[in-house]
Amino acid sequence: MAEPAAVVDALRLSLEDLDLSLTPRSVDTGASHLLVAINDTAALARCAPEKAALVRVTRTCQAQGLYAVSIGDERPVTSVSARFFNPGSGLDEDPATGSAAGPLCAYLDRLGLLSVSKRLAIAQGESMARPSVINIHLDDRSRPVVTGRCAISAEGRLSGGEFNVVR
């Protein structure tokens, strides 16, 4: 788990901006991400990560990146807004993060916050002017299934350890 004070310092927020009903914690379905609940979408929009501090926080938690999520007050939860930061890998912000969306859905279900449909829609990417909606549902074994649409922004191929951009 991450210390809330370190998290708010890394995101340049205040403690009042965190939704501490969900303690900052690492979640994963193969790739670990630090899940941080933010009180509202205004605070989510104000996140302005300090890269070195964010790298320290995620490394302390053995997480690849930080998934900041505004869950809101409506229950059951059917939609949320999110931002994903991973400056340690050179990814300042990601417009759509399926590898974090699945664990979020499973975690909210474990807490009893999802509806009986076990479905969640995540809005992400607005802050980058690259809006996305990720749709997740839990299958009959409670495994997350992530869906959505995408637009190819680059293509490439790996060969001999080098990445060659095709487009």
Side-chain angles (χ1 to χ4, degrees), residues 16 35 44 67 69 90 92 102 105 110 119 132 136-137 145-146:
E16 293 75 30
L35 172 65
L44 184 65
Y67 202 43
V69 180
D92 290 342
C105 185
R110 178 174 280 192
R119 295 183 178 277
S132 67
I136 308 103
H137 70 273
V145 177
V146 179

Side-chain angles (χ1 to χ4, degrees), residues 3 5-6 9 27-28 33 38 52 56-57 59-60 78 99 107-109 113 132 134 136 139-140 148-149 156 162:
E3 289 297 322
D9 286 347
V27 296
D28 75 79
H33 302 301
I38 307 294
R56 281 191 302 276
V57 167
R59 285 191 179 152
T60 298
T78 57
S99 63
Y107 182 55
L108 292 176
D109 184 55
L113 298 177
S132 67
I134 302 169
I136 308 103
D139 69 11
D140 58 353
R149 294 180 171 206
E162 294 182 21

